[in-house]
Amino acid sequence: MPSFEQLGELLDPVGTVLLTVECQQGVVGPDSALPELAREARSSGALARIARLVDAAHESGTQVIHAVAERRPDGRGANRNARLFRAAERLPVRQLTGTAAVRIAPPVEVAEEDFVVRRLHGLSPISGTDVDPLLRNLGCRTLVVTGVSANIAVPNAVFDAVNRGYIVVVPADAVAGVPSEYTPAMIRNTLALVATITTTDDVLACLERRRR
């Protein structure tokens, strides 16, 4: 892990954006379509840590973007080219546009200055969405990636951000996936090769130091 000084250099609020991935009620809430993932996100403390990071970002003037996955009620435009997408169509809770399932789940708070970016297709919170243009217009240099799941969406976000030239920071304890032992293995063996791995407390300390 980087030293506090090294991390502090990366997390200059002017060039840093915090991204939350699929922290929506239909994914991590009590009525989740994926109850095992929701339980892991909450019991591991990852969702609570994401909420703390979002609060600190708001207080320090660091921009927050919430990436949400949703679909139209008629399914138009959604992918059907993988087992995951086909299974999602049969789940009792669907991430339908305009429903409670696609609202950001407590305890994560959405501030007026936040962006909520919604996607209707694919696996990535970045590719094919407004996230990359927003990051460029915001002058982003470092993207802090949090959320779910460590299985699919989070790695997609990290790879896409790195491929687009951003420095990526991942607070390892603010990411969740299933089974629980998969997340640290994926971070250690995959994300650590392309991103700066740290902890929520260390990110919070850096943001606290630069609180406006």
Side-chain angles (χ1 to χ4, degrees):
M1 288 192 182
S3 69
F4 183 75
E5 290 73 21
Q6 290 170 327
L7 186 62
E9 290 178 3
L10 296 180
L11 296 179
D12 179 350
V14 175
T16 298
V17 174
L18 173 65
L19 179 70
T20 76
V21 176
E22 295 184 23
C23 293
Q24 58 202 77
Q25 293 193 39
V27 176
V28 297
D31 297 320
S32 170
L34 304 164
E36 184 182 3
L37 178 59
R39 284 193 298 271
E40 178 61 25
R42 291 176 177 275
S43 65
S44 68
L47 189 61
R49 293 186 192 96
I50 293 166
R52 291 172 60 204
L53 287 165
V54 169
D55 289 345
H58 292 157
E59 292 173 2
S60 68
T62 302
Q63 182 66 55
V64 179
I65 298 179
H66 305 277
V68 173
E70 60 181 52
R71 59 188 296 123
R72 287 167 47 123
D74 61 8
R76 189 179 296 271
N79 289 65
R80 294 183 177 82
N81 58 332
R83 189 176 73 177
L84 174 67
F85 301 125
R86 295 190 294 272
E89 294 178 344
R90 300 191 297 271
L91 292 173
V93 177
R94 301 172 66 198
Q95 315 300 319
L96 299 182
T97 301
T99 67
V102 297
R103 296 176 191 154
I104 300 301
V108 179
E109 297 283 348
V110 180
E112 184 177 355
E113 63 267 25
D114 293 0
F115 291 100
V116 179
V117 177
R118 306 179 185 279
R119 78 176 193 273
L120 292 170
H121 61 84
L123 299 170
S124 174
I126 295 179
S127 180
T129 75
D130 288 338
V131 170
D132 184 41
L134 288 173
L135 293 177
R136 296 195 180 279
N137 290 343
L138 290 164
C140 178
R141 172 174 171 260
T142 300
L143 184 66
V144 181
V145 177
T146 67
V148 299
S149 72
N151 305 76
I152 296 174
V154 168
N156 264 264
V158 171
F159 294 147
D160 285 346
V162 171
N163 285 334
R164 285 162 173 76
Y166 300 105
I167 296 168
V168 178
V169 171
V170 178
D173 54 356
V175 171
V178 290
S180 58
E181 61 270 19
Y182 177 74
T183 301
M186 184 277 299
I187 291 173
R188 181 175 61 253
N189 295 301
T190 302
L191 297 191
L193 301 177
V194 296
T196 297
I197 308 302
T198 185
T199 66
T200 294
D201 285 345
D202 282 351
V203 174
L204 289 172
C206 290
L207 296 180
E208 174 70 24
R209 188 171 65 175
R210 290 189 166 93
R211 182 176 295 181
R212 61 187 177 189

